Amino acid sequence: MKLLSASYFQNIYEALKTSLSSLSITFSHLKQCYKRWAYTSMTENNYFAKNTGIVTLQYPNERLPVPERGRYKLHNEIEDCIVCDKCAKICPVDCIEIEPIRSPTEFGKTSNGSSKRIYAAKFNINMAQCCFCGLCTTVCPTECLTMTNEYDFSTSDITEHNVPFSQMTPLEIIEKKAIWEAFQAKKQTSQM
């Protein structure tokens, strides 16, 4: 049987010393974590100075405050939309799908006073394709297309990301198309 050398006991001593040192650090952090970390805005000067307290969120019951002007989920206030098609034309990924139906007369006004002459038979935004660039919101003349502060819209069914905003029924679409075609036919005959 070999004699135990001094280095063997030195190794045991070092192992115990480092274990107790790491446990003391752990316990000191546990002592500091008895209260919750106060959620504040990222724009505050001392945002990164906070390093004590419980920081884990109980999502979805708790949420961090998000900046007001972030790029999140798109929303269209269809009552204010004049169906100008600028948003669909500027979209780099073609996630906005619009089907317009012209009206021979003005049928309403938007909240900023613009006249409405085009119906939106279809106004769909595919949020699964959206790259959140915000270009569509900047070109909107009536400012009806905006980005909300909803950042979590995950789902297991990808078809739920295709958000329809049009409120027209199929019967209304057929009726409005027939009115426009009749107006065009009457216009053609009057020009001859």
Side-chain angles (χ1 to χ4, degrees), residues 72-106:
Y72 308 111
K73 189 173 184 180
L74 285 169
H75 175 72
N76 186 15
E77 202 62 49
I78 199 71
E79 293 83 21
D80 285 343
C81 184
I82 58 172
V83 195
C84 63
D85 202 31
K86 288 182 180 181
C87 54
K89 288 177 183 171
I90 201 165
C91 182
V93 292
D94 295 328
C95 70
I96 301 174
E97 186 179 0
I98 299 174
E99 182 184 330
I101 302 174
R102 295 193 175 273
S103 172
T105 59
E106 178 185 313

Side-chain angles (χ1 to χ4, degrees), residues 30-94:
L30 282 175
K31 224 183 334 181
Q32 294 172 358
C33 287
Y34 66 90
K35 63 179 180 175
R36 183 164 296 281
W37 185 58
Y39 302 121
T40 57
S41 174
M42 291 172 50
T43 57
E44 287 188 16
N45 291 337
N46 63 345
Y47 181 77
F48 292 103
K50 297 176 183 175
N51 57 6
T52 60
I54 302 171
V55 295
T56 304
L57 284 176
Q58 298 298 321
Y59 189 82
N61 299 327
E62 296 176 341
R63 292 179 186 228
L64 284 174
V66 294
E68 290 178 18
R69 290 184 284 167
R71 293 180 182 163
Y72 308 111
K73 189 173 184 180
L74 285 169
H75 175 72
N76 186 15
E77 202 62 49
I78 199 71
E79 293 83 21
D80 285 343
C81 184
I82 58 172
V83 195
C84 63
D85 202 31
K86 288 182 180 181
C87 54
K89 288 177 183 171
I90 201 165
C91 182
V93 292
D94 295 328

Side-chain angles (χ1 to χ4, degrees), residues 144-158:
C144 64
L145 193 59
T146 57
M147 288 192 151
T148 64
N149 62 355
E150 183 183 353
Y151 59 87
D152 180 22
F153 42 95
S154 57
T155 180
S156 58
D157 186 11
I158 197 163

